[in-house]
Amino acid sequence: MNQRRENCEIPAATGHRGEPAGLHIGVIGGGQLGQMLGLAGVAMGHRFTFLDPGYEPPAASVGRHIQAELDDSEALERLSVECDVVTLEFENVPLASAELVARRNCLMPGPQALAVAQDRLEEKQFFEGLGLGLAPWVQVDSVNDIVQGIRHLGAPAILKTRRMGYDGKGQVRLADSSHAAHEGGPGNPGEAASAWEAIDGAPAVLEKMVDFEREVSIVAARSRTGEICFYPLATNLHRAGILWETTVGTGDPLQSAAEEAARLVLEKIDYIGVLAIEFFVQDGRLLVNEMAPRVHNSGHWSLGGARTSQFENHIRAILGWPLGDPSPAGWAAMLNLVGSLPDARAVLAVPGVSWHDYGKVPRPRRKLGHLTVTAAEPGELESRLDRLKSLVAPPDA
Ligand code: AMP
């Protein structure tokens, strides 16, 4: 059995003695994020193996695929032993699996980042410990906690399961306008009970609904050497709980505040790789919503829209290579293709557009691909986006 290399050393990709220069990168998960990591990494001379339970997941088109569940210890062992370094493209990798891989090989990001990101309660406590602002929240382990929580926070509020929630899954909105909004009011037990039932009584958090001006995210990369770079702040528009549109430009007034928050997070957990943090903007201030320890949908615009994509920078970061320039080459936007694909020819007739199709079977609310669009100035970007939006259906509930 191989022992984990001292200090998580990665073999140098030097190509000496006639060997191929690239490294063998293992990825836990094989969805579209893995596919785009693979596309970036293959172009840099690396090879990939993806561990994914699916039959033909998107990433299988750019590397070897081990078809196994993410808690299959034999498969995890194989991935660890055969690859030079291991990363992930999915934050809900079972912690025991991440720990197994981290004992055998270099796993980046490591189990600590996953532990924080997998549990909304831990995540909130982690952010609070760093002094970051959040929407008011309470922990929920019973119907009564919901009733009391609404009384304390006010309505409307949103109940979110601590674990396994994404794209609006595991979330219930509580309007409760009739009772709970009044100070000292009783809360609405009927609504609380049905919300509790809707999440199957899972441990949860209740958050006050933020009447935000906009939602933003910052994508950052931190290399094994400690070097950090930040992408420009992305403004995100969600529909039915799913990301629909991202736009980026230059000179966002909240850029430096978001960078400061991201730097605190990255350094606190010695994070390596690309990480995204989502925020609400309220009264011109950032409130952290959540973080994703991986490349992120709100960074897809960087494929073609930035000088170095988030995917390339993730690969550079985990190998300890110098990071590439994250700055945008003008104004850029991304539109997700959810549930069905539009006509590619019509879409590509709009100037500045690139088409990305993950090769997935269409299903309602499934992310099937995305479009990126660039422009020299904001007005041009907006008119190109408007044309695209007339051709692409937004996510529906
Ligand atoms: P999440 O899974 O936490 O990212 O939530 C998905 C989406 O639901 C967010 O991007 C927001 O659009 C919305 N949302 C979640 N929590 C809140 C909140 N506390 N206030 C307002 N909107 C929210």
Side-chain angles (χ1 to χ4, degrees):
M1 284 283 119
N2 84 328
Q3 291 299 309
R4 183 172 184 259
R5 286 182 294 276
E6 207 50 35
N7 297 324
C8 203
E9 244 172 64
I10 293 175
T14 54
H16 63 292
R17 293 198 209 118
E19 289 161 10
L23 294 167
H24 187 177
I25 300 173
V27 184
I28 308 179
Q32 65 265 22
L33 301 179
Q35 183 186 49
M36 289 184 273
L37 281 172
L39 286 167
V42 166
M44 298 166 84
H46 306 302
R47 299 181 289 132
F48 285 80
T49 294
F50 300 92
L51 174 63
D52 189 283
Y55 168 58
E56 262 180 13
S61 61
V62 293
R64 203 170 54 131
H65 171 213
I66 300 175
Q67 187 180 7
E69 294 300 326
L70 301 187
D71 59 358
D72 180 328
S73 48
E74 239 172 76
L76 290 159
E77 184 79 35
R78 218 177 115 197
L79 189 78
S80 310
V81 170
E82 292 178 5
C83 296
D84 295 312
V85 59
V86 183
T87 186
L88 47 94
E89 59 98 75
F90 176 62
E91 68 267 40
N92 286 318
V93 173
L95 219 48
S97 303
E99 280 160 357
L100 186 158
V101 174
R103 279 195 298 275
R104 287 262 168 251
N105 202 324
C106 315
L107 176 69
M108 289 169 289
Q112 193 190 355
L114 290 183
V116 172
Q118 285 178 358
D119 183 340
R120 287 189 191 271
L121 179 69
E122 278 205 33
E123 192 179 42
K124 285 180 187 304
Q125 290 169 338
F126 172 69
F127 290 141
E128 283 181 344
L130 294 174
L132 303 176
L134 281 85
W137 65 280
V138 294
Q139 181 176 349
V140 166
D141 293 300
S142 67
V143 183
N144 191 43
D145 287 344
I146 303 176
V147 175
Q148 296 300 330
I150 292 194
R151 182 178 295 176
H152 172 68
L153 300 172
I158 180 165
L159 183 68
K160 301 178 177 178
T161 55
R162 280 171 58 175
R163 295 183 166 274
M164 299 302 282
Y166 59 94
D167 287 347
K169 289 180 188 138
Q171 298 187 3
V172 187
R173 294 179 185 217
L174 290 107
D176 199 32
S177 52
S178 54
H179 303 277
H182 306 301
E183 182 133 356
N188 182 338
E191 194 182 16
S194 57
W196 182 238
E197 205 174 300
I199 61 162
D200 296 326
V205 292
L206 185 72
E207 280 172 34
K208 188 169 173 57
M209 282 299 277
V210 177
D211 190 13
F212 53 76
E213 287 129 37
R214 58 183 174 129
E215 287 188 85
V216 298
S217 58
I218 189 142
V219 173
R222 182 168 180 268
S223 165
R224 292 162 61 94
T225 61
E227 182 189 0
I228 295 179
C229 75
F230 302 100
Y231 284 85
L233 201 62
T235 297
N236 303 317
L237 201 65
H238 291 79
R239 289 281 179 85
I242 298 182
L243 181 65
W244 158 234
E245 175 195 319
T246 293
T247 47
V248 294
T250 47
D252 193 297
L254 291 169
Q255 180 74 30
S256 56
E259 288 187 8
E260 246 171 71
R263 185 182 292 279
L264 283 174
V265 170
L266 291 167
E267 291 182 342
K268 180 73 183 177
I269 51 176
D270 193 15
Y271 188 92
I272 298 166
V274 163
L275 169 117
I277 306 181
E278 297 182 65
F279 305 89
F280 304 118
V281 179
Q282 191 181 37
D283 301 328
R285 259 186 75 228
L286 291 176
L287 298 176
V288 193
N289 178 21
E290 60 183 359
M291 71 180 208
R294 55 170 169 76
V295 287
H296 193 251
N297 198 170
S298 69
H300 289 4
W301 66 271
S302 65
L303 273 175
R307 294 192 170 86
T308 314
S309 78
Q310 63 165 343
F311 304 101
E312 180 174 338
N313 263 337
H314 183 76
I315 303 293
R316 291 187 189 210
I318 64 172
L319 299 184
W321 292 12
L323 299 177
D325 182 358
S327 57
W331 292 76
M334 187 278 323
L335 209 53
N336 266 337
L337 305 176
V338 182
S340 64
L341 292 175
D343 176 36
R345 284 165 203 248
V347 157
L348 289 173
V350 179
V353 174
S354 323
W355 170 266
H356 300 262
D357 177 349
Y358 312 143
K360 287 156 81 170
V361 178
R363 222 190 275 149
R365 293 177 60 79
R366 194 174 207 199
K367 291 176 181 169
L368 302 176
H370 69 269
L371 306 174
T372 55
V373 52
T374 54
E377 44 89 23
E380 188 178 49
L381 185 73
E382 204 177 312
S383 78
R384 290 179 178 178
L385 252 181
D386 283 347
R387 278 182 67 187
L388 290 178
K389 285 178 172 175
S390 70
L391 300 166
V392 178
D396 49 26

